[in-house]
């Protein structure tokens, strides 16, 4: 149960970072992606996942070191992004929440740079990675090809 709460907290924290990391490109028609290029995308994706895991750990650590319980921090975070949620908080708690959010946001640029580096390291441009990522959302064949590469890479 505690691990689930920690994971939930990390996901909520990281959501605000990853949402801004790679802006969605406009939806596109089907594009040609070679096996080599898809392999580059797969390796970049795995690199981004590693950065994501590191970022989650660092954000959880930041929240815990501030003295917040992760569950309480999540309640405050959810209330800060959802206009229909209202959570009671003391002025001291609101101030502490603001400080922690600033600390997390200050780390965002570093995590974004690491994600971009993970893409470029694989020999693919960020723009092309984004283009393939957008097409992957709706192209089932491309999804299956990527999944096969990712599965083979884990064995």
């Amino acid at each position: 149960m505690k691990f689930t709460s920690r994971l939930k907290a990390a996901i909520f924290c990281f959501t605000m970072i990853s949402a801004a990391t790679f802006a969605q490109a406009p939806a596109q028609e089907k594009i040609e992606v070679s096996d080599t290029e898809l392999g580059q995308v797969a390796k970049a994706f795995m690199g981004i996942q590693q950065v994501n895991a590191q970022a989650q750990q660092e954000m959880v650590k930041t929240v815990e070191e501030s003295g917040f319980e992760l569950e309480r921090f999540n309640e405050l975070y959810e209330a800060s992004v959802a206009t229909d949620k209202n959570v009671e908080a003391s002025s001291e708690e609101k101030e502490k929440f603001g400080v922690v959010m600033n600390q997390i946001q200050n780390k965002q640029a570093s995590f974004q740079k690491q994600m971009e580096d993970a893409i470029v390291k694989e020999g693919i441009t960020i723009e092309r990675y984004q283009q393939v990522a957008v097409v992957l959302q709706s192209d089932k064949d491309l999804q299956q090809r990527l999944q096969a590469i990712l599965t083979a890479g884990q064995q």
Side-chain angles (χ1 to χ4, degrees):
M1 182 70 175
K2 183 168 173 92
F3 175 75
T4 304
S5 297
R6 288 177 62 99
L7 183 59
K8 182 179 175 188
I11 290 170
F12 276 118
C13 291
F14 193 71
T15 298
M16 73 181 179
I17 289 176
S18 60
T21 301
F22 300 107
Q24 289 286 329
Q28 297 185 359
E29 299 292 320
K30 190 169 185 162
I31 59 172
E32 292 298 318
V33 181
S34 70
D35 288 343
T36 300
E37 187 177 38
L38 196 57
Q40 292 170 311
V41 169
K43 287 178 183 175
F45 175 77
M46 289 186 287
I48 289 170
Q49 283 186 314
Q50 289 176 340
V51 173
N52 184 354
Q54 176 190 358
Q56 289 176 11
Q57 289 173 355
E58 286 188 35
M59 287 183 279
V60 167
K61 182 179 176 186
T62 299
V63 170
E64 289 176 335
E65 287 177 350
S66 74
F68 265 113
E69 292 289 326
L70 290 175
E71 195 169 317
R72 179 61 178 160
F73 182 85
N74 280 338
E75 288 174 13
L76 295 172
Y77 177 74
E78 287 178 30
S80 75
V81 296
T83 56
D84 63 335
K85 281 200 172 196
N86 192 7
V87 175
E88 292 293 322
S90 68
S91 57
E92 179 182 313
E93 195 174 37
K94 289 177 185 177
E95 183 177 331
K96 185 166 68 167
F97 175 79
V99 168
V100 173
M101 287 301 294
N102 283 336
Q103 290 172 344
I104 289 171
Q105 289 171 347
N106 288 337
K107 294 178 182 186
Q108 179 180 359
S110 172
F111 295 133
Q112 182 171 344
K113 173 82 169 88
Q114 289 175 39
M115 288 180 187
E116 290 171 357
D117 288 349
I119 293 169
V120 174
K121 174 184 162 199
E122 298 306 329
I124 188 169
T125 67
I126 293 167
E127 292 77 19
R128 182 61 175 169
Y129 181 88
Q130 290 172 330
Q131 185 181 38
V132 173
V134 168
V135 172
L136 270 166
Q137 293 175 10
S138 60
D139 187 330
K140 300 290 184 205
D141 292 335
L142 195 56
Q143 289 172 10
Q144 289 175 347
R145 288 176 52 207
L146 178 64
Q147 186 61 45
I149 291 169
L150 290 171
T151 302
Q154 293 176 348
Q155 294 176 354

